[in-house]
Amino acid sequence: MAPAQQLVSLVAPWSVEADQYRGLRQAIERMHRDNGLQMIAMTSPGPGDGKSVTTLNLAGALAQAPDSRVLVVDADLHRPSVGEYLGIAPPHSPGLAEAISDEACGLDQA
């Protein structure tokens, strides 16, 4: 499975849209350098607002920077979608809740 077409920073890294995410990356890198920013949370008031797509595009832009490490946690317990957008998770694989509550669930399974 391939990443979803909406993930422009991964599937079309030289597009105008991906360039906008790189601009956001530069602002975040500046906040990291100047203020010690370590973590970003993405939220919105309702479903379908684009949190997952925005998060993954920003993560893709951040990951393209030299010496960077990016971890995305899909904390949507009702409708997790990050794995589907990336084309890496079957629809009924263990998620965040199972990884936290079930000692037998390893990180590689979630």
Side-chain angles (χ1 to χ4, degrees):
M1 292 172 64
Q5 292 301 306
Q6 300 98 313
L7 304 183
V8 293
S9 65
L10 302 175
V11 300
W14 302 115
S15 66
V16 171
E17 295 87 352
D19 190 51
Q20 297 300 307
Y21 285 105
R22 283 192 296 278
L24 184 55
R25 176 188 85 193
Q26 289 175 340
I28 290 169
E29 287 172 337
R30 190 172 29 258
M31 287 187 281
H32 170 70
R33 186 178 55 251
D34 297 346
N35 304 317
L37 178 71
Q38 294 289 319
M39 186 182 317
I40 300 168
M42 192 75 63
T43 188
S44 76
D49 289 338
K51 296 175 291 287
S52 297
V53 170
T54 301
T55 297
L56 291 171
N57 275 305
L58 178 56
L62 288 165
Q64 292 168 7
D67 300 322
S68 68
R69 295 185 329 168
V70 178
L71 172 65
V72 173
V73 176
D74 188 352
D76 187 336
L77 301 180
H78 297 287
R79 282 181 239 135
S81 60
V82 167
E84 291 178 45
Y85 277 113
L86 292 173
I88 59 172
H92 301 292
S93 64
L96 180 61
E98 290 86 4
I100 292 170
S101 64
D102 184 358
E103 292 181 20
C105 181
L107 185 57
D108 58 334
Q109 296 171 311

